Amino acid sequence: MKKTAATFAILLICLSSLLAGPHNDVSLFFGHQGGGLENREGLNWSYGISLGLSPRVEMSAWGESTLTPTFFGDGALGLGFSFALLGERSTGSYVPGSAINMLLNTGMLLTLHNPWNIFIPTTFYVSLTPLTIGSPILGHRERLFEMGLAYNWAENSFSFYFSLFKFDYYVHGTWRDWY
Protein backbone atom coordinates (compact mmCIF):
# COMPACT_ATOMS: atom_id res chain seq x y z
CA MET A 1 0.00 0.00 0.00
CA LYS A 2 2.92 2.36 0.68
CA LYS A 3 4.24 1.87 -2.86
CA THR A 4 0.80 2.57 -4.32
CA ALA A 5 0.41 5.77 -2.29
CA ALA A 6 3.92 6.97 -3.18
CA THR A 7 3.38 6.24 -6.88
CA PHE A 8 0.04 8.07 -6.81
CA ALA A 9 1.60 11.12 -5.09
CA ILE A 10 4.50 11.30 -7.57
CA LEU A 11 2.10 10.96 -10.51
CA LEU A 12 -0.10 13.74 -9.13
CA ILE A 13 2.89 16.08 -8.71
CA CYS A 14 4.07 15.39 -12.27
CA LEU A 15 0.60 15.94 -13.75
CA SER A 16 0.06 19.15 -11.80
CA SER A 17 2.90 20.85 -13.70
CA LEU A 18 1.03 20.27 -16.97
CA LEU A 19 -1.86 22.40 -15.70
CA ALA A 20 0.20 25.48 -14.81
CA GLY A 21 -1.86 28.64 -15.12
CA PRO A 22 -3.33 31.55 -13.18
CA HIS A 23 -5.98 29.46 -11.38
CA ASN A 24 -3.62 26.75 -10.20
CA ASP A 25 -3.63 27.35 -6.50
CA VAL A 26 -2.43 24.51 -4.29
CA SER A 27 -3.69 23.76 -0.79
CA LEU A 28 -2.96 21.20 1.87
CA PHE A 29 -5.99 20.19 3.89
CA PHE A 30 -7.08 18.08 6.83
CA GLY A 31 -10.30 17.49 8.71
CA HIS A 32 -13.01 15.17 9.93
CA GLN A 33 -14.30 12.50 7.56
CA GLY A 34 -17.06 9.95 7.73
CA GLY A 35 -18.53 7.65 5.13
CA GLY A 36 -15.63 6.56 2.95
CA LEU A 37 -14.52 4.02 5.54
CA GLU A 38 -17.16 2.48 7.74
CA ASN A 39 -16.17 3.07 11.36
CA ARG A 40 -19.18 2.94 13.69
CA GLU A 41 -17.14 2.93 16.91
CA GLY A 42 -14.73 5.79 16.20
CA LEU A 43 -13.52 8.75 14.17
CA ASN A 44 -11.95 9.04 10.74
CA TRP A 45 -9.52 11.70 9.58
CA SER A 46 -8.95 13.13 6.11
CA TYR A 47 -5.78 14.77 4.76
CA GLY A 48 -4.67 15.66 1.26
CA ILE A 49 -3.80 18.14 -1.45
CA SER A 50 -6.06 20.23 -3.64
CA LEU A 51 -5.24 21.85 -7.00
CA GLY A 52 -7.30 24.60 -8.65
CA LEU A 53 -8.04 23.82 -12.30
CA SER A 54 -10.25 26.78 -13.27
CA PRO A 55 -12.12 29.65 -11.59
CA ARG A 56 -14.82 27.23 -10.37
CA VAL A 57 -13.26 23.73 -10.47
CA GLU A 58 -10.64 22.09 -8.26
CA MET A 59 -9.22 18.59 -8.04
CA SER A 60 -8.10 16.88 -4.84
CA ALA A 61 -6.20 13.75 -3.89
CA TRP A 62 -6.64 12.67 -0.29
CA GLY A 63 -6.32 9.93 2.21
CA GLU A 64 -8.76 8.84 4.88
CA SER A 65 -7.65 6.94 7.96
CA THR A 66 -9.21 5.79 11.20
CA LEU A 67 -8.16 7.64 14.34
CA THR A 68 -10.10 5.62 16.91
CA PRO A 69 -10.47 2.83 18.05
CA THR A 70 -7.37 1.73 16.09
CA PHE A 71 -4.97 4.50 15.05
CA PHE A 72 -4.53 4.27 11.25
CA GLY A 73 -6.04 0.76 11.36
CA ASP A 74 -7.87 1.18 8.04
CA GLY A 75 -7.34 3.57 5.17
CA ALA A 76 -8.56 4.74 1.80
CA LEU A 77 -7.19 6.90 -0.99
CA GLY A 78 -9.50 9.30 -2.83
CA LEU A 79 -9.57 11.39 -5.97
CA GLY A 80 -12.25 14.04 -6.30
CA PHE A 81 -13.43 17.11 -8.19
CA SER A 82 -15.29 20.07 -6.70
CA PHE A 83 -17.40 22.69 -8.50
CA ALA A 84 -18.09 26.07 -6.84
CA LEU A 85 -21.81 26.81 -7.09
CA LEU A 86 -22.14 30.38 -5.77
CA GLY A 87 -19.29 32.10 -7.60
CA GLU A 88 -15.68 31.88 -8.66
CA ARG A 89 -13.44 30.42 -5.98
CA SER A 90 -10.42 32.07 -7.63
CA THR A 91 -10.10 34.87 -10.19
CA GLY A 92 -6.53 34.01 -11.18
CA SER A 93 -5.33 37.42 -9.96
CA TYR A 94 -4.82 39.29 -6.69
CA VAL A 95 -8.59 39.92 -6.56
CA PRO A 96 -10.18 37.25 -4.34
CA GLY A 97 -12.99 35.03 -5.52
CA SER A 98 -16.17 34.49 -3.56
CA ALA A 99 -15.27 34.25 0.16
CA ILE A 100 -18.52 32.39 0.93
CA ASN A 101 -19.32 29.54 -1.39
CA MET A 102 -20.94 26.12 -1.80
CA LEU A 103 -19.26 23.10 -3.41
CA LEU A 104 -20.63 20.15 -5.37
CA ASN A 105 -18.15 17.26 -5.00
CA THR A 106 -17.76 13.98 -6.83
CA GLY A 107 -15.05 11.36 -6.94
CA MET A 108 -13.91 7.84 -6.15
CA LEU A 109 -12.16 5.97 -3.36
CA LEU A 110 -9.60 3.20 -3.55
CA THR A 111 -10.06 0.81 -0.62
CA LEU A 112 -9.53 -2.75 0.53
CA HIS A 113 -13.29 -3.13 1.08
CA ASN A 114 -14.00 -5.65 -1.66
CA PRO A 115 -14.33 -9.45 -1.92
CA TRP A 116 -10.78 -9.80 -3.30
CA ASN A 117 -9.11 -7.80 -0.47
CA ILE A 118 -6.91 -5.82 -2.88
CA PHE A 119 -6.44 -2.03 -3.08
CA ILE A 120 -8.64 -1.00 -6.04
CA PRO A 121 -11.23 1.69 -6.87
CA THR A 122 -14.39 0.51 -5.13
CA THR A 123 -16.49 3.50 -4.11
CA PHE A 124 -18.05 6.41 -5.99
CA TYR A 125 -19.38 9.40 -4.06
CA VAL A 126 -21.39 12.58 -4.67
CA SER A 127 -21.61 15.20 -1.93
CA LEU A 128 -22.52 18.80 -1.24
CA THR A 129 -20.54 21.18 0.97
CA PRO A 130 -23.13 23.82 1.88
CA LEU A 131 -20.70 26.32 3.38
CA THR A 132 -17.12 27.28 2.61
CA ILE A 133 -15.54 30.38 4.14
CA GLY A 134 -12.34 31.76 2.63
CA SER A 135 -10.63 31.62 -0.75
CA PRO A 136 -7.25 30.78 -2.26
CA ILE A 137 -6.11 34.41 -2.39
CA LEU A 138 -6.79 34.79 1.35
CA GLY A 139 -4.56 31.78 2.06
CA HIS A 140 -7.05 29.60 3.93
CA ARG A 141 -10.56 28.18 3.68
CA GLU A 142 -12.89 26.27 5.99
CA ARG A 143 -15.31 23.71 4.52
CA LEU A 144 -18.23 22.87 6.78
CA PHE A 145 -20.95 20.17 6.89
CA GLU A 146 -20.19 18.19 3.72
CA MET A 147 -22.82 15.49 3.21
CA GLY A 148 -23.58 13.07 0.45
CA LEU A 149 -23.97 9.51 -0.72
CA ALA A 150 -21.29 6.88 -1.43
CA TYR A 151 -21.78 3.66 -3.39
CA ASN A 152 -19.37 0.73 -3.08
CA TRP A 153 -19.96 -1.29 -6.27
CA ALA A 154 -17.66 -4.12 -5.15
CA GLU A 155 -19.90 -4.84 -2.14
CA ASN A 156 -23.10 -3.40 -3.70
CA SER A 157 -23.74 -1.12 -0.71
CA PHE A 158 -24.70 2.52 -0.16
CA SER A 159 -23.52 4.66 2.73
CA PHE A 160 -24.09 8.19 3.97
CA TYR A 161 -21.10 10.47 3.55
CA PHE A 162 -20.45 13.25 6.10
CA SER A 163 -17.64 15.61 7.04
CA LEU A 164 -18.05 18.08 9.87
CA PHE A 165 -15.12 20.33 8.92
CA LYS A 166 -12.04 20.53 6.71
CA PHE A 167 -9.36 23.21 6.80
CA ASP A 168 -7.48 24.24 3.63
CA TYR A 169 -4.12 26.01 3.90
CA TYR A 170 -2.94 27.35 0.54
CA VAL A 171 0.76 27.10 -0.29
CA HIS A 172 0.49 28.57 -3.81
CA GLY A 173 -1.90 31.09 -5.36
CA THR A 174 -2.30 33.26 -2.26
CA TRP A 175 -1.88 37.00 -1.71
CA ARG A 176 1.82 36.34 -1.04
CA ASP A 177 2.31 35.36 -4.68
CA TRP A 178 0.95 38.69 -5.96
CA TYR A 179 2.89 41.11 -3.73
Side-chain angles (χ1 to χ4, degrees):
M1 182 165 150
K2 289 180 183 180
K3 288 181 183 179
T4 304
T7 303
F8 186 73
I10 290 169
L11 182 63
L12 181 67
I13 290 168
C14 291
L15 289 177
S16 68
S17 66
L18 297 174
L19 303 169
H23 300 289
N24 297 113
D25 45 78
V26 177
S27 76
L28 303 174
F29 66 87
F30 68 93
H32 169 263
Q33 186 81 8
L37 295 173
E38 190 171 323
N39 184 6
R40 295 178 192 254
E41 296 91 30
L43 294 172
N44 291 353
W45 196 246
S46 175
Y47 44 88
I49 186 169
S50 180
L51 173 70
L53 300 177
S54 74
R56 289 187 178 247
V57 178
E58 65 185 19
M59 175 181 78
S60 59
W62 47 276
E64 180 180 352
S65 300
T66 58
L67 283 180
T68 60
T70 55
F71 189 66
F72 282 76
D74 194 6
L77 197 61
L79 179 64
F81 292 91
S82 299
F83 181 78
L85 297 174
L86 299 182
E88 293 182 346
R89 47 167 218 87
S90 170
T91 62
S93 69
Y94 63 89
V95 178
S98 178
I100 297 177
N101 217 327
M102 182 183 293
L103 297 174
L104 180 63
N105 313 295
T106 185
M108 71 170 62
L109 290 170
L110 289 86
T111 68
L112 289 170
H113 298 268
N114 55 64
W116 312 283
N117 202 27
I118 55 176
F119 197 69
I120 59 171
T122 57
T123 306
F124 175 77
Y125 72 90
V126 176
S127 66
L128 178 72
T129 306
L131 180 62
T132 66
I133 301 170
S135 70
I137 199 70
L138 298 175
H140 58 84
R141 176 178 68 180
E142 293 84 24
R143 294 182 271 169
L144 303 168
F145 312 120
E146 179 181 359
M147 60 191 115
L149 191 62
Y151 175 66
N152 184 327
W153 61 79
E155 296 179 341
N156 196 24
S157 64
F158 285 94
S159 62
F160 181 67
Y161 189 84
F162 181 73
S163 174
L164 185 61
F165 62 87
K166 288 185 184 156
F167 299 108
D168 293 281
Y169 294 98
Y170 288 87
V171 295
H172 177 69
T174 68
W175 61 272
R176 291 178 218 90
D177 297 328
W178 296 100
Y179 292 104

